[in-house]
Amino acid sequence: MQQEMNQRLSDMTAKAAQEFPPVNLWMGEDSVAVTAELPGIAPDDVDLTVRENTLTLTGERGSPAEDEKSVWHRRERVYGNFSRTVQLPFRVDPEQVEARFANGLLEVELHRPETDRPKKIQIKG
């Protein structure tokens, strides 16, 4: 039983480590907002690309300077290169993307192209 629990926790930890950074996504009528938690990462270390309905975040989290005499007891924060691709609910206009980065939080707002926006059709009586 203990071995099974350890295996399941190990699988969850490995899966969580692969899904970095954690993101949230909100959908508005004509835009979508994505936030990503990137603590300890400088804005210049993050690349953001968008293509049709896909947003990709790539970058690198550098490891802190280590004392050679230190012995890790627990090390859950991962370092190195990361990439996260998020499928958006609709195609976006790459010319209408706004990104802000403050206090380790990346906020991206992506707008739907004017030609793809739903249009209300008047019904003639």
Side-chain angles (χ1 to χ4, degrees):
M1 174 89 165
Q2 182 65 39
Q3 185 177 8
E4 184 178 333
M5 288 296 289
N6 288 341
Q7 181 62 42
R8 287 186 179 185
L9 288 172
S10 175
D11 290 345
M12 289 174 60
T13 301
K15 185 176 180 180
Q18 293 172 353
E19 295 181 321
F20 182 85
V23 298
N24 287 337
L25 189 145
W26 294 269
M27 190 172 124
E29 190 171 312
D30 294 323
S31 66
V32 61
V34 177
T35 60
E37 295 178 14
L38 297 163
I41 299 174
D44 291 341
D45 293 335
V46 179
D47 287 323
L48 189 63
T49 58
V50 62
R51 182 175 183 175
E52 297 189 3
N53 66 338
T54 303
L55 173 69
T56 302
L57 299 155
T58 57
E60 182 177 3
R61 177 191 271 177
S63 62
E66 297 181 16
D67 182 358
E68 293 179 8
K69 297 177 184 175
S70 296
V71 178
W72 288 98
H73 177 67
R74 179 178 290 240
R75 190 173 189 178
E76 295 180 344
R77 294 184 70 184
V78 293
Y79 298 97
N81 295 325
F82 63 85
S83 179
R84 182 85 191 263
T85 299
V86 179
Q87 184 162 359
L88 305 170
F90 46 76
R91 193 170 67 96
V92 296
D93 183 350
E95 301 300 322
Q96 294 187 16
V97 178
E98 300 169 28
R100 295 173 290 282
F101 196 99
N103 298 323
L105 184 66
L106 175 66
E107 298 176 347
V108 185
E109 185 170 4
L110 308 107
H111 296 272
R112 184 184 290 210
E114 182 71 31
T115 55
D116 289 2
R117 293 182 185 172
K119 294 180 180 162
K120 186 172 182 173
I121 307 298
Q122 292 290 333
I123 301 173
K124 297 177 182 173

